[in-house]
Amino acid sequence: MKRFLFVFVLGLLPFFLRPKKVQAPMIMQHDTTCYPCSDISILPGDVLFSPIGRKESRYVGHVGIVTENNEVVHSIPAGLARDSVELYFHKFKRVSIYSPFNPSAGEKACEHLEYLYRTNKHAKYRIMTPIGSRNNEQYCTKIIWQAYYHGAGINLGKLSQRSKAVHPERLKDRRHLRKKK
């Protein structure tokens, strides 16, 4: 009986320890120069990290990059997505904002990001592809790394071009990015 009770409680443990799904209220943003519910300015090249988001990135984490038009480009299983900043913040429960120390680096990364978006819009989602490869396979970390590497000459995280399945956290490079929120 004790063994049965122990196995039963152990089986319920993951249910109680998993993160709760909470839908953030959708607030209409009137100031499109700042991030939702804040006074933090939106800048091209800002990198947005979400540790736990929707089901496609629920446990691993996710990352997107802000364009010059205040949109967020990120890679999802269906290809590259382009969302408004407000929609991106609505999709993810918690977002950390990192901005390049040098604003022109963010602008240059955005220029290359536009090229990547045009040429990889329907890219296959593959995390086991080398981060430096220019094939038609993408994942969220790879698109941000390539935008900064090829656009601004910055190797976020000092990664080898042969690195595969790079976690978004590896891009939080204090030499080039500062945390805004």
Side-chain angles (χ1 to χ4, degrees):
M1 181 65 176
K2 287 181 183 180
R3 180 178 164 88
F4 172 76
L5 186 58
F6 177 75
V7 171
F8 179 75
V9 170
L10 193 62
L12 290 177
L13 196 58
F15 176 76
F16 289 108
L17 294 179
R18 70 179 179 184
K20 292 182 181 179
K21 290 184 182 180
V22 177
Q23 188 72 1
M26 185 67 165
I27 299 171
M28 295 311 293
Q29 184 73 19
H30 298 291
D31 183 1
T32 58
T33 62
C34 292
Y35 287 102
C37 303
S38 78
D39 60 353
I40 299 171
S41 297
I42 300 171
L43 296 174
D46 281 354
V47 184
L48 309 178
F49 294 89
S50 177
I52 299 174
R54 293 274 214 212
K55 56 187 166 185
E56 72 267 5
S57 62
R58 189 164 145 197
Y59 296 108
V60 174
H62 194 64
V63 64
I65 184 171
V66 177
T67 69
E68 291 184 345
N69 298 324
N70 291 352
E71 295 174 314
V72 181
V73 173
H74 55 114
S75 182
I76 59 174
L80 298 184
R82 184 184 291 265
D83 294 330
S84 68
V85 168
E86 188 171 358
L87 178 60
Y88 190 85
F89 269 69
H90 181 70
K91 284 181 175 181
F92 298 99
K93 188 165 57 172
R94 193 176 83 216
V95 177
S96 298
I97 305 163
Y98 284 74
S99 194
F101 286 116
N102 181 351
S104 69
E107 292 167 4
K108 290 175 184 174
C110 286
E111 289 173 17
H112 191 73
L113 179 69
E114 290 303 324
Y115 165 77
L116 291 170
Y117 186 80
R118 281 192 317 273
T119 59
N120 290 276
K121 186 175 182 177
H122 302 289
K124 295 175 185 165
Y125 191 84
R126 301 260 196 278
I127 63 170
M128 291 307 293
T129 182
I131 202 162
S133 68
R134 294 183 182 225
N135 54 15
N136 198 24
E137 297 176 331
Q138 285 291 353
Y139 62 100
C140 64
T141 305
K142 183 177 177 181
I143 191 111
I144 280 68
W145 185 87
Q146 286 185 345
Y148 269 92
Y149 186 80
H150 297 293
I154 294 173
N155 183 350
L156 292 176
K158 294 184 182 180
L159 298 169
S160 163
Q161 291 192 38
R162 294 184 304 263
S163 300
K164 295 179 182 179
V166 178
H167 193 279
E169 289 288 318
R170 297 278 312 272
L171 297 181
K172 291 181 179 178
D173 191 332
R174 292 184 182 157
R175 296 171 304 132
H176 302 288
L177 301 175
R178 66 180 169 87
K179 186 174 184 176
K180 292 168 90 172
K181 173 189 165 205

